[in-house]
Amino acid sequence: MIGLISDASPMAPLEVIKAALPIGIGLASAAYLTMKIASNSSSGKTVPMASLRPGDSTHDKEYNDDQDAFLQRCEEEYGPTFNILLLGKTYTVVSGPLIREVIMNRDFSSVEAIEELQHVNAYFNTIRKSNWDMDHRTLHALVKDNVTPYLSIFTPRIVDQLEKNLDHELSKCPVQDGGRLVKDPLLPLHEMVGSAMADVFVGPEIAKSRKVVDAFIHATEDWSKMLGHGKIPHASFWDSLFKRTNYRIHGSALHAHIQTLLEASTPEILERRRQEAEAAEKGIEYKRPNDILQRMLDDFDKYGFIDLEDVCGHLLILVLASVHTTTDSATALLYYFAAFPEYMETLYKEQKDVLDEIQQEREKKREELKKKGEPIDEELDPARDRDLTAAAIKRMVHMDSFVREMFRFRTERLTLMHRACKSVTLSNGVVIAKGQSAICNLKSAHQGPEQGDEVTEFRPWRFLGKPKTAAKVGADYLPFGMGRHACPGRFLAIQEIKTIGVLVVSKYSKIEIQDPSKMTKSLRTRMGEPVPTGVIMTSRK
């Protein structure tokens, strides 16, 4: 989650040098002096600055050219801790067990480190009227209280929306080589995820409004514009100015989405209140709608909301945090299906076997009830035997392992920045000075010995038979972070991504990458980065 703007940090060493030295000194010379300062500024164990490639003034290009190769070189030369010049500032890279030390230590702040790059929290506070808490604990609580416990209720509605929109969206794609050419899978998946999220967040009645669905879809697009359309963030004055200018240009669009939610939800909320009052007069229990908006209204005082507009503002923030990231990961899943077609039939067979097993179990329960002379309720209706429920998806362990392996293989290698709120000494003697930021080397975690053999290869069944689901975080699996700042919405996200995977496998026998030369690039795109080629999807006969 994004944190509040922190106190002004000291000017980065490079900026100090550039300001104090003659203009003609050159960036490379300044960078060299920065390395000398950064390597010896701590009173603890010296942290080496990683050397630069000839002609480079920072490590950005070498890292972006090949993340694994860059980190392999640095680990071999400097060990688990070293300094780098990345994203416009100096970071101390921490690897292996040191990652856990940083993440779990409350003397480090992830929200301050992220805010330094993105500058978004001040804007969040213009679309919500309450809960300006530093660590966004209220937003975490909203998800933990109102989303995760109700996944079994939400899943059938999610499945219905995803399946309906999958068929509709792909039917619009042109036919090529016997399949459907999906030039940009992100677009139909955005429609699918946006529609499903709208149903869960505001309920099916409000979600019938096309304006509401568009708000869920376009809000994330507008948010992406504000952040620079997947542009790599940079901790510099000019990048900060670019973002803040973008916030002013595109910020009104997000406020317009709040007004859309407010206008669409007000009549439905008034109708719900009328029905509740009528039920109370008749002395009968009011059947409360199952959506996140209703639960937010029921616990209005608990969360400290000011009014309905404030509720809609918080709701939009949850949308921004969920729709785009889920869509991006689901899009990546399609490319992994295309890159590793040999696993599609195993996933398809598992799906059929699980649904066959559930159907047999339900038939057995019906037979037992018949023998006892007891009625068979609606829950055991044979027409629902092969429904794609949360329980059914949970049994599809091959799909879960495939998704977890995708995240392990794909996740950015350097991420999870944490800024030191005071000087911290790590177990290896390295001191992270107050104001300095550590960045976690996920290569060391995701390619460590805990992962088994062939850690640099994609092995989709790596986690079969292990208590490591796609949503279970830990020091060896960090796409969702860990500790108190672990993404609370990961359970919904993973459920939705796996559901999309199951539906795609059930309907399509083959997925191919349109331009095979872009295969490697398509598997390693950053969050929000456009994929340079489409996919061709062939339906099952």
Side-chain angles (χ1 to χ4, degrees):
M1 302 294 288
I2 307 300
L4 288 168
I5 294 178
S6 57
D7 294 336
S9 60
M11 189 179 291
L14 180 57
E15 299 304 318
V16 173
I17 293 170
K18 286 165 68 178
L21 296 177
I23 294 174
I25 188 171
L27 190 57
S29 299
Y32 172 76
L33 289 177
T34 303
M35 287 190 278
K36 300 297 289 183
I37 290 174
S39 298
N40 298 285
S41 60
S42 169
S43 60
K45 184 177 179 181
T46 300
V47 182
M49 173 63 78
S51 61
L52 293 167
R53 291 189 310 190
D56 286 349
S57 57
T58 72
H59 295 103
D60 292 90
K61 190 173 188 308
E62 183 181 1
Y63 171 70
N64 291 321
D65 285 348
D66 191 327
Q67 297 179 21
D68 285 346
F70 169 69
L71 289 169
Q72 183 73 24
R73 173 181 79 80
C74 292
E75 289 171 13
E76 291 175 354
E77 292 181 15
Y78 309 110
T81 317
F82 48 91
N83 286 334
I84 60 172
L85 295 167
L86 193 73
L87 305 177
K89 65 171 294 175
T90 299
Y91 284 101
T92 299
V93 176
V94 293
S95 311
L98 297 175
I99 294 175
R100 184 182 183 88
E101 289 185 33
V102 169
I103 293 178
M104 303 304 287
N105 190 332
R106 293 201 177 193
D107 290 331
F108 285 99
S109 171
S110 62
V111 291
E112 288 189 19
I114 295 171
E115 181 62 25
E116 186 177 18
L117 284 180
Q118 299 291 18
H119 313 286
V120 296
N121 195 68
Y123 179 74
F124 274 177
N125 289 341
T126 70
I127 61 176
R128 61 183 174 190
K129 300 179 180 180
S130 61
N131 298 308
W132 290 16
D133 51 307
M134 170 66 83
D135 284 350
H136 296 287
R137 301 321 298 173
T138 301
L139 291 174
H140 276 240
L142 284 172
V143 176
K144 292 177 72 174
D145 296 347
N146 304 301
V147 179
T148 306
Y150 302 100
L151 278 182
S152 61
I153 296 173
F154 294 150
T155 297
R157 289 157 52 184
I158 290 173
V159 170
D160 181 62
Q161 290 295 324
L162 291 177
E163 185 167 22
K164 180 173 64 177
N165 283 283
L166 176 64
D167 293 338
H168 177 70
E169 292 300 312
L170 294 191
S171 69
K172 296 187 289 187
C173 297
V175 176
Q176 179 173 316
D177 298 331
R180 292 281 182 181
L181 172 60
V182 188
K183 295 181 179 179
D184 185 358
L186 186 72
L187 298 179
L189 285 169
H190 222 158
E191 179 74 28
M192 291 165 60
V193 174
S195 298
M197 291 291 197
D199 189 292
V200 167
F201 276 62
V202 298
E205 285 302 316
I206 300 175
K208 286 179 181 178
S209 166
R210 184 65 223 182
K211 289 184 178 180
V212 169
V213 175
D214 284 344
F216 274 66
I217 295 170
H218 297 309
T220 57
E221 294 175 355
D222 292 332
W223 183 241
S224 179
K225 291 175 186 176
M226 292 175 67
L227 294 180
H229 268 317
K231 178 179 177 286
I232 298 172
H234 202 264
S236 70
F237 167 78
W238 294 110
D239 198 66
S240 174
L241 180 62
F242 165 80
K243 284 190 175 66
R244 293 179 186 279
T245 301
N246 250 8
Y247 297 167
R248 288 195 294 272
I249 294 172
H250 300 291
S252 60
L254 291 179
H255 284 275
H257 296 316
I258 292 177
Q259 289 305 309
T260 295
L261 294 178
L262 185 63
E263 291 170 8
S265 61
T266 298
E268 172 65 15
I269 290 170
L270 291 174
E271 174 59 19
R272 292 180 185 184
R273 292 288 168 83
R274 186 195 66 77
Q275 292 176 6
E276 185 175 11
E278 183 179 306
E281 288 178 6
K282 295 179 179 179
I284 60 176
E285 183 178 357
Y286 173 62
K287 187 177 181 181
R288 315 195 78 73
N290 279 317
D291 55 65
I292 296 169
L293 174 62
Q294 181 63 48
R295 291 190 169 87
M296 291 171 71
L297 293 172
D298 289 343
D299 291 322
F300 190 92
D301 293 331
K302 172 184 173 181
Y303 296 118
F305 298 133
I306 303 299
D307 53 26
L308 182 56
E309 186 177 12
D310 188 27
V311 172
C312 290
H314 281 78
L315 200 63
L316 187 70
I317 293 173
L318 296 180
V319 170
L320 296 175
S322 59
V323 173
H324 180 67
T325 52
T326 302
T327 303
D328 181 271
S329 298
T331 303
L333 185 61
L334 288 188
Y335 285 96
Y336 275 78
F337 286 160
F340 304 99
E342 63 270 29
Y343 303 116
M344 288 281 284
E345 287 309 303
T346 300
L347 293 169
Y348 181 59
K349 182 178 183 301
E350 173 183 64
Q351 186 178 144
K352 288 188 65 179
D353 289 346
V354 165
L355 294 178
D356 285 346
E357 182 181 13
I358 291 174
Q359 186 174 23
Q360 291 169 9
E361 291 171 359
R362 288 168 60 86
E363 178 59 33
K364 184 177 179 180
K365 288 181 181 178
R366 286 193 293 267
E367 290 297 327
E368 291 174 352
L369 290 172
K370 286 180 183 177
K371 288 179 181 179
K372 295 177 181 178
E374 297 179 7
I376 298 174
D377 60 22
E378 184 181 347
E379 177 60 29
L380 285 174
D381 183 348
R384 299 176 59 184
D385 280 356
R386 302 185 72 82
D387 283 359
L388 197 56
T389 63
I393 294 172
K394 186 176 181 179
R395 294 193 195 187
M396 297 176 189
V397 294
H398 284 79
M399 179 62 74
D400 187 88
S401 181
F402 193 105
V403 170
R404 181 178 170 109
E405 176 70 350
M406 179 192 73
F407 277 107
R408 182 198 74 86
F409 194 80
R410 179 192 184 222
T411 300
E412 180 89 15
R413 299 300 191 255
L414 288 178
T415 186
L416 300 179
M417 301 88 160
H418 284 70
R419 191 179 189 194
C421 301
K422 66 178 185 179
S423 293
V424 178
T425 303
L426 302 179
S427 62
N428 66 346
V430 165
V431 174
I432 310 293
K434 180 181 179 180
Q436 171 71 5
S437 288
I439 192 168
C440 298
N441 173 11
L442 266 58
K443 173 184 176 294
S444 68
H446 290 178
Q447 296 182 16
E450 302 86 357
Q451 308 293 350
D453 300 329
E454 300 178 311
V455 294
T456 60
E457 301 295 324
F458 180 81
R459 295 290 179 261
W461 317 143
R462 186 181 300 277
F463 303 105
L464 284 179
K466 299 177 182 178
K468 296 183 177 183
T469 66
K472 186 174 182 180
V473 300
D476 62 344
Y477 181 67
L478 294 162
F480 302 101
M482 66 180 293
R484 68 194 299 263
H485 287 295
C487 174
R490 66 188 183 277
F491 300 100
L492 175 62
I494 290 294
Q495 185 80 340
E496 202 158 359
I497 293 164
K498 290 196 298 185
T499 301
I500 290 171
V502 169
L503 289 172
V504 167
V505 167
S506 72
K507 294 174 180 292
Y508 297 91
S509 60
K510 184 171 63 174
I511 302 176
E512 302 167 276
I513 289 182
Q514 181 187 12
D515 182 354
S517 69
K518 305 288 178 60
M519 177 83 74
T520 300
K521 176 67 175 175
S522 68
L523 300 181
R524 290 293 178 87
T525 53
R526 285 186 168 93
M527 183 72 70
E529 183 180 2
V531 180
T533 183
V535 294
I536 301 171
M537 304 178 68
T538 303
S539 298
R540 293 191 179 276
K541 296 179 180 178

